[in-house]
Amino acid sequence: MLRRTTKWLAYSLAAIALVSVIFIIMFDWNWLRQPIERAVTEQTGRTLEINGDLNVKLGWPLTKIQVAEVTFANPVWAKQPLMFAIKKIEADIVVPQLFERHFVLSAVRLRQPNVYIEESRDGRKNWLLDRQQRDEKAQIEIQRLVLDNGYLEYESPLRNTSLKATLSTQQVNPKNAASTDITLFSAQGRFKDLPLKASGSGGSVLALSDEVTPYPLNIDTRIGRTRLRAVGTVTSLLRWTAVDLNMTLSGASLDQLYPLIGIALPRTPAYLTKGHLMHHAQKWRYEKFTGRIGKSDIAGNFQVERGGKRPVLQGNLTMQLLDLADLGALVGMGSGTPGMRPNPQPDDATQQVAEQQSPNVSKQRDVLPKLPFRTGRWNSVDADVKIRAKRIQRARALPIENLETRIQMRDAVITLDPLNFGVAGGTLAGAITLNGQQDPIQARVRLGARKIMINKLFPTIKLTKTSIGQINGDADLTGTGNAVDKMLASADGKLALVVEGGEISKLILETIGLHLWEMLQIKITGDKVIKINCAIADFAVKQGVMQTNTLVLDTGITTITGHGTIDLKQETLNLDLQPHTKVFSPLALRSPIYIRGSFAKPQASIDKTKVALRGAGALILGAINPFLTLIPLIDSGPGKNSECGRLIRQAQQPRR
């Protein structure tokens, strides 16, 4: 009896299974089209229409579906009536995820898709399937996607972006057994309000969220005036989990990358770089790059690490050749600045507005840099970059030989410390701080000049070619302003220069002293050089006005003293020079010389009705207190036993 019951049960189960298999095979899945349409419409509030056949192949863990002629409506706020219209969809549904109420497609193939992706100004997204289009979880997860000859539009007023793209699938080596498919794409439109045009190719399968398989990519894109060409792989196209690309990047200025990468870079001339871009976890690295900025060559490594309060940029930059003109944009030198190549077009709206409002500024004052710094971007990154320029190309009038500095940015405060230049056989070293936390910027400059050779300092002036001697000096200035000219116009501090042991043309000295007899003799017999015992220029700076404490040039035949001001705000000179001869001259007029005018066009004149009656010694003795402030500079420069040291000791002696 038991055996008969067991046999009957087995036959029954087999019959049920056979009937189920026959039912599944013979079942017309098209009967489910309308229930599926109703369910989606009720859930999303948007109409789904299936106008073609629906086929299902059950399986575990993947069930395959095929459906043709599918359309899905957009929400009422969207510009386009349909979110997509697709000729045919083939998809693999991950069945275990359905039990957890997750709809996951491991692979999707879309044939002739027309897709319209849109984001509203208030942040709604048409690809989110809740009725308000705001729930980020209300979307279908697609791990891998194949697009076969499709069209895609993306519209986002919120991001100032509007793109149109076409995609096609092409077989590589179709006659070869190892032939593969690739996806060709092209796009155009605007990205973050910049014109965009792109083209390239990739693998046939878009690894949207595949965290393991690298996706091959070859792309050439232009965004604004920036061009990127890259070949390599990207893992997970949605998350960019890993990147390995050989790339070439070029553009009009590095600061134009800010809308694209969100990191403030300096304003520069046109650039081109080639290097290896890698990304993993929170770290991006641009390795072993080479290229040019303006006429300067560059090489080095950069890395950006995200995940903190703001990105952290670290790197080193080496230049075999630095064209000094390429530094102009960094300090605000634009068109109209002497000695710097002009920029053919302004590269930001701020500059254009400033020029429209003040069209005569560059004509009136065209020496100090005026282009404002973009402090609004400084808080976008912390940075620590070392820069070294081994050889400097510059105008002969600027005898700078090399550059070493370390640029650090922390909480919108930029420091260049140390900042070292080789200048005319000597050094110019110090530090610069720009505090962008304040508006306007608070700036401080501390520089020391040591052992700068006179004959190398002015290589274009013929009369100093035989000059020797050294210049030593110190500057310590603070100021406020969003451009270099504004900082100097508000500067407070001090500036001092000492020249020891130089030589100068005798004709220059006789001309300054208006010694007509000696000038005539030199014209007949030829010029000679006169030793400079000491030259001192000491200024106190207050609110952009440099006021002389001491201005003395002492030689064997003449002492020239001076006083007056240099106005950094108005960029004007107001100096009086008084020559005092040490030798008798039968035709010496000894008139004061007035230096007036702008930095761009200084002018010298004399007062023929005024005669200087005081001797050089009395004037030197009258400068006791100002000289005392220069003792540290003398000690660190030519030394206390030098001619300048002797001159100061003479000034320190009590009057009799």
Side-chain angles (χ1 to χ4, degrees), residues 60-75:
W60 185 272
L62 300 178
T63 289
K64 298 182 180 295
I65 64 170
Q66 292 182 350
V67 58
E69 304 292 346
V70 182
T71 64
F72 184 52
N74 256 325

Side-chain angles (χ1 to χ4, degrees), residues 58 68 99 105 224 384 449 525 546 647:
L58 297 176
F99 294 101
L105 301 179
D384 187 350
T525 61
M546 298 172 58
L647 187 65

Side-chain angles (χ1 to χ4, degrees), residues 84-251:
F84 62 73
I86 302 174
K87 189 73 173 176
K88 188 175 182 179
I89 301 175
E90 299 175 359
D92 294 339
I93 301 175
V94 182
V95 178
Q97 292 290 333
L98 294 176
F99 294 101
E100 299 179 11
R101 296 186 177 182
H102 295 158
F103 197 73
V104 178
L105 301 179
S106 67
V108 177
R109 183 182 183 93
L110 304 180
R111 293 184 179 178
Q112 299 182 28
N114 289 286
V115 182
Y116 303 89
I117 304 298
E118 190 170 348
E119 184 177 10
S120 68
R121 290 188 180 276
D122 60 2
R124 289 177 292 178
K125 303 169 183 177
N126 73 336
W127 62 89
L128 300 180
L129 301 179
D130 62 307
R131 285 181 171 268
Q132 288 74 39
Q133 298 86 48
R134 294 185 182 275
D135 185 0
E136 294 291 340
K137 296 181 180 180
Q139 57 182 311
I140 298 174
E141 180 181 341
I142 301 175
Q143 295 176 341
R144 307 178 79 192
L145 178 65
V146 177
L147 298 174
D148 187 356
N149 300 319
Y151 175 80
L152 173 67
E153 281 192 19
Y154 174 72
E155 186 83 21
S156 176
L158 186 65
R159 305 176 191 276
N160 294 318
T161 298
S162 177
L163 301 174
K164 297 179 181 180
T166 59
L167 306 101
S168 62
T169 302
Q170 177 177 311
Q171 195 174 58
V172 179
N173 301 322
K175 297 180 180 180
N176 193 316
S179 65
T180 58
D181 290 342
I182 64 171
T183 299
L184 303 178
F185 61 86
S186 63
Q188 60 182 1
R190 300 191 71 82
F191 178 75
K192 295 186 177 180
D193 211 27
L194 296 171
L196 176 143
K197 189 173 184 180
S199 62
S201 63
S204 60
V205 178
L206 304 182
L208 298 180
S209 57
D210 188 336
E211 302 287 345
V212 177
T213 308
Y215 178 73
L217 184 65
N218 186 336
I219 187 171
D220 184 349
T221 182
R222 293 179 181 270
I223 304 177
R225 300 172 69 184
T226 301
R227 184 179 184 185
L228 169 67
R229 288 167 289 175
V231 177
T233 61
V234 175
T235 303
S236 180
L237 292 175
L238 291 181
R239 299 180 181 88
W240 284 54
T241 305
V243 174
D244 189 344
L245 295 172
N246 291 314
M247 59 178 282
T248 300
L249 184 68
S250 60

Side-chain angles (χ1 to χ4, degrees), residues 499-510:
V499 178
E500 171 73 19
E503 293 180 348
I504 194 170
S505 163
K506 183 177 181 181
L507 178 58
I508 290 180
L509 295 178
E510 301 295 4

